[in-house]
Amino acid sequence: MGCLDKIRKTVPKKCKELRDLCGEAIDQVKADEADAPMSANKYFRIMKLALDTKIPRLTEQILYYVQKLVAHGLLDGNHPDDCLYPEEERPKSNGMLPRRLIDAIVDEVCKCTTERDQQVQLQVVRALLTIVATSTTEVHERSLLKVMSSLYYIHIACANQVNQNTAKASLIQMISIVFKKLEQHSGEFSESLRRLGAGEVVQGLESARGGQSEVASGTSHAFSPSEARASH
């Protein structure tokens, strides 16, 4: 609710629609406080509209809140992308994957990379690292490449040495995190294949035993003593 209140107080009066949306959302948050767990996913479209105003002090605050909400699992992006776009600009997918809200979150944070305000750039770095590192969010395909490209851009283009070094360190840490996740999922996948293979082997052995029993039964029936005497 602090983020929504900040937006309403900071945006100029000419942004009446955005201010009204913030007021409605604040009332909704108050009504939902008794429900658990709470989710900020449905309010991100308001944050996106606020980021579109390009007000540096507001952008910095929103990026700060995005990072905190993601870190606490309140903004995981596991939700359809319900943000408002011009019809001709609406993204349709994330590479081979259907587009989710997490892709919109990544897009909006990465757009702030070109802002010249050094505090905004620093918040971009922090937000992107948190988005990739947090276990409750899943960033894949183009969105993951966009995150890494944004950090690299800040490292080579930012005039502030602290931001350059922070972006570089964050990118290195992020690559390590991604590979650890890959290894983890690869191990889980291999274990699933092993179990599946073991199950198929057991099933095959049982089928083979059943076939052997039928053969043995048929053989003993074909050469039973009574049938042998009858044939004589």
Side-chain angles (χ1 to χ4, degrees), residues 93 213 224:
S93 65
S213 299
S224 61

Side-chain angles (χ1 to χ4, degrees), residues 9-191:
K9 292 179 178 179
T10 305
V11 294
K13 292 182 179 180
K14 64 181 181 180
C15 301
K16 183 179 183 302
E17 182 181 356
L18 179 54
R19 292 164 65 92
D20 291 344
L21 284 173
C22 289
E24 294 172 6
I26 289 172
D27 293 338
Q28 186 63 49
V29 170
K30 291 178 180 178
D32 292 344
E33 281 182 342
D35 298 332
M38 289 188 63
S39 172
N41 288 329
K42 59 184 176 181
Y43 303 114
F44 180 75
R45 65 191 185 96
I46 299 177
M47 300 182 201
K48 177 188 179 302
L49 292 173
L51 288 172
D52 290 341
T53 64
K54 304 296 183 182
I55 301 174
R57 66 181 185 278
L58 180 58
T59 299
E60 180 187 349
Q61 286 295 321
I62 294 175
L63 292 174
Y64 168 82
Y65 282 112
V66 166
Q67 180 201 359
K68 294 304 179 184
L69 290 169
V70 170
H72 288 87
L74 298 175
L75 183 65
D76 58 16
N78 187 22
H79 185 275
D81 180 8
D82 59 356
C83 293
L84 301 176
Y85 301 93
E87 190 58 35
E88 66 278 4
E89 297 180 9
R90 183 171 185 83
K92 295 182 178 179
S93 65
N94 174 34
M96 299 296 291
L97 300 176
R99 185 173 175 85
R100 304 288 289 172
L101 184 63
I102 188 63
D103 302 310
I105 295 171
V106 168
D107 282 350
E108 295 308 312
V109 175
C110 289
K111 283 179 183 178
C112 301
T113 301
T114 55
E115 292 288 337
R116 294 189 176 184
D117 187 281
Q118 296 178 0
Q119 288 303 312
V120 170
Q121 289 186 339
L122 186 58
Q123 285 298 337
V124 168
V125 173
R126 291 171 176 170
L128 291 178
L129 179 58
T130 302
I131 288 171
V132 173
T134 305
S135 60
T136 55
T137 56
E138 294 185 3
V139 184
H140 304 290
E141 294 268 345
R142 291 176 183 172
S143 293
L144 183 58
L145 292 176
K146 190 174 292 186
V147 168
M148 294 186 175
S149 298
S150 297
L151 290 181
Y152 181 70
Y153 175 84
I154 292 176
H155 170 61
I156 64 173
C158 181
N160 184 286
Q161 188 68 40
V162 173
N163 287 1
Q164 284 184 359
N165 293 337
T166 303
K168 178 181 178 181
S170 297
L171 181 57
I172 293 172
Q173 184 179 351
M174 187 180 296
I175 293 172
S176 176
I177 291 170
V178 169
F179 272 94
K180 284 181 180 178
K181 288 184 176 181
L182 283 173
E183 291 172 357
Q184 177 184 351
H185 289 300
S186 176
E188 293 173 355
F189 182 66
S190 300
E191 179 65 16

